[in-house]
Amino acid sequence: MTITTSNLGFPRIGKRRELKFALEKFWSGQSHIVTLQDIAAELRRENWTLQQAHGLSHMPSNDFSLYDHVLDTSVMLGAVPQSYAWKGGPVSPETYFAMARGSQGGHDHGACTHHGVAAQEMTKWFDTNYHFMVPELTKGQEFTLGSNKPVDEYREAKEQGFDTRPVLLGPVTFLTLAKSKDAQTDPLSLLPGLLPVYTEILRRLSANGAEWVQIDEPALVLDLDETTKTAFKMAYAFFARALPRLKLLLTPYFGALGDNLDLALGLPVAGLHLDLCRAPEQLDTVVAEAPAGLVLSLGVIDGRNVWRADLEAILRRIEPVISQRGTDHLILAPSCSLLHTPVDLELETDIDPDFKSWLAFATQKLEELSILGRAINTGRDSVRNELAAASAAVETRRTSAKIHDAAVRQRLQAVTAEQSRRQSPYPVRREKQKSLGLPDFPTTTIGSFPQTEGVRKARAEHGKGALTANAYAALLRKETENSIRWQEEIGIDVLVHGEFERNDMVQYFGEQLSGFAFTRHGWVQSYGSRCVRPPVIFGDVSRPQAMTVDWAAYAQSLTDKPMKGMLTGPVTMMQWSFVRDDLPRDQVCRQIGLALRDEVSDLEKAGIRIIQIDEPAIREGLPVRRADWAAYLGWATECFRLSASGVQDETQIHTHMCYSEFNDIIDSIAAMDADVISIETSRSKMELLDAFVTYHYPNEIGPGVYDIHSPRIPPVDEMAGLLRKAKTHLAPDQIWVNPDCGLKTRKWEEVKPALVNMVEAAKRLRLEQRA
C-alpha cells in the first residue's frame, strides 16, 4: 500500500487575482453573469489540473466560492432571510450577491428586486483574517435545498477527468457560527431540520460517484458545551444511518482536539483530520487512542503561513506512526485549506534569493506534500535532492544575519511597566482634551478615502519609474488637499488626510520598518473580491525613520480643524502579516509596539493632537481555547499601550476595531485605555454595542453607522435611528459618529452622499439633545 496525499482546499482567486477582477466587472455592470461563471469554471479547472500534476490522491471540489463558503452553505440550505425576497427554488446570483454586499436597488445589474436591503453581517473566520458572512436564522427556520453547488462542481470535475473529494462545511460548525434573530432560539436547536438537507446533498454526491466527502468541522477545536457535543453525535449518527457506505473525512483545524478528542473518535466517520502545525502535541495521543480502522489525515504542511517546511523533521515525526498504523490508514495533508496562503511563489522573480528560498506558497506546499509522499512510498533516495534542498533552506534561515538585530533585542529587554501606562487616568485626560473644541456627537471617518483609478495608476507608474517622485508627490498633495476641503465643506469635525499615499494599511508601514519583507504576487482573499498582500515578518523589527509625520503635518497645515494621525497597531501589524515562527509572537508584537511608539511620539511633536492606532485584529488573534485567552490578551493589550502611552494627556488616542464579538474581551478592550474607540455596529444594528453598555465602558465610543463594505448609501433617517439606539445605552457625550471602517475600497460617488447623510444625522442628534 502507498500513503495518500491530499489537499483540503486551494485559493480561489487565481494566480493573478482573476476572480477579483471578474467579480468587480460583473458588479459594475461591465460583464454578464455568464462571463463571471466561465472565468470561475476556468479557475477551478486550473486548480484541479495543478493538484493532479502534483500527484494528489485526494483533491477537493466545492472549495471554490464566488464570495464566501459560509454564504454558499447558507444558500445551499435555503437559509435566506425574508428581506431578500427569495421565493424558493434555486437561489439566483442576484440574491446571493445581495446577501453578500447589500443592494441599493433600482439597478439593471445586481439585485434589482431587492430595494435597499443591507448585506448580512460579516465577521472573522475563527482566528484568521478571512471574513465570512454570518448565517441569519429565525425561530422555526425551515431549511430547503437552495443550491446544488457541491454536486454540480463534483460532476464538473468528474466530466473533466478529475476524481475529487467534495468539501462541505459541517452542520454543527455552520450552526455554531450562525445567529438567530430571536434571542430565545439557539441555532443548534434547528439541527433536526437541517440534517435532511445535508443528507440529500450527501446522497446526491454518493449517487454521482463520490467515495469520500470532506466535512469541515473546525468547531471541534473550540470549548464545547454538552449541547454542542450532543449535536455532533446526533448529526453524524444521522449521516451514518442514512448513508452507511459513504466515507466521511471529519476535518477540524486551527487547533487541538483536546478534551473533544473522545467525542471526535467516537463519531461514526471513516477518517479524522489533525492539524499538526497548530497542535503537533496531539499526534501521539490520537494515534494511541484512535480505532484501528480509522483513517488519520495528518496535517503536516502549514496551511496558514508561508515558511518552507522542514521535510526531514516531518518524516522523522511521522515514520513511527507509519510503523504503527501502516500507510493504508494514513493521509498526508496541509493543516487546513490553503485558502490562507498566496498561490504561487514562482511569480516572485525579483525578491531576495535567500528570502525566496525560505518560502512556500500554496503551489509549493503541494510540491512539499508530493515529496513527502514519494519519500514514504518509493524511499528517501528517490527525493534525496529535494530533501537536501529543504534542509539547507531551513538551516540558512535559522543562521542568517538578516534576521537578527542586537539593538532591538536590547531595547526590548529594557522595557518597563511604566512605559505601558498613560500619564494620567482617563477622567483627567478627558478634561484636558476638551481644548480640542469638539461638539456633541463629533463626526469623523476611520482614515482612508477612495483610492481612485488615477491614484492607483500613478502609484503603479511611480513604482515602475515612469512617474517621478516629485510628480507623484504633487498629485498626492493635491488629492489630500481636495479631500480636506471637501471634509470642511460638509462639516466633518475631525478630519483625516485620506491616506492617498498608502497602499495597504499594514504593507505601508511594513515597507518602512526593518524586519519586514514583501512580495508582488502574494495575494490572499480577505472577503469577496477583497484581496490583501500580507507582509512577511522575517526578522527583528525597528523603525529606521519617521513613516507618517510629513503627510500628517502637511495635512494639518491646510486646516484649523483637528487632523488625525493614522497608524496601524502592533497586534494588527503582526496578525495581518505572515509571522516568523522562530520567535514567540508576543516578542514580535512588542518589537512592533516599540517601533510605533517612536512614530506616535514624533506625530505629537509635529502638532498632531489626535492619533488613531487601529487594532481591528485584536479580537481575531484570540486563541480558540479560553484557557489561552488571558496570556494572549495580557501581552496584546500591553503592546497597544506600549505604542500609545508615550504622549501627553492632551493628546487624544483613538483606536478602531471591526467585525468582532466584544462581549468576552470587553475588560481587555477597556484595559487598552484608548480615549476613543470606534467599532463596527451598522450590520449588527448596534448589537455589538451591547458589550460596551453592559460593561459600562467609561471612555468614548464611535459606533459605526454606515456599512462601508456595501455600495449601498444609507439614508439620514437610518443613521439617525442607529445613533438614537446608541443614545439609549450610552451617555451623549460618549458618542462619536463615524463609518464602521475605512473608505479606501469604495467609490467617491458612494462615499460623498453617505458621509453627507452621516453629518446630517449627527446634526439632528445635536438638535434633539438641545431640545
Side-chain angles (χ1 to χ4, degrees), residues 306-307 345 351-359 402 517-519 536-538:
V306 294
W307 301 111
L345 183 62
I351 60 176
D352 177 84
D354 284 343
F355 175 61
K356 184 175 180 178
S357 74
W358 302 340
L359 303 179
K402 297 176 181 179
F518 294 85
T519 64
V536 181
I537 305 176
F538 71 92

Side-chain angles (χ1 to χ4, degrees), residues 480 484 496-497 550-559 561 563 608:
T480 300
I484 290 170
V496 297
H497 78 286
D550 287 346
W551 279 110
Y554 168 71
Q556 184 65 82
S557 74
L558 298 175
T559 182
K561 288 193 169 186
M563 177 67 58
I608 304 301

Side-chain angles (χ1 to χ4, degrees), residues 416-477:
T416 64
E418 287 72 21
Q419 288 177 283
S420 297
R421 288 195 289 267
R422 293 289 296 270
Q423 291 181 351
S424 304
Y426 171 71
V428 175
R429 303 197 308 264
R430 180 172 183 168
E431 286 301 310
K432 293 183 178 180
Q433 290 165 14
K434 287 181 178 178
S435 62
L436 289 167
L438 298 175
D440 292 338
F441 302 98
T443 55
T444 189
T445 63
I446 302 304
S448 60
F449 278 141
Q451 297 243 335
T452 63
E453 181 62 31
V455 170
R456 292 196 300 269
K457 182 179 178 182
R459 180 180 299 118
E461 290 179 348
H462 176 57
K464 296 174 183 175
L467 185 66
T468 67
N470 287 340
Y472 181 52
L475 181 146
L476 296 177
R477 284 195 295 270

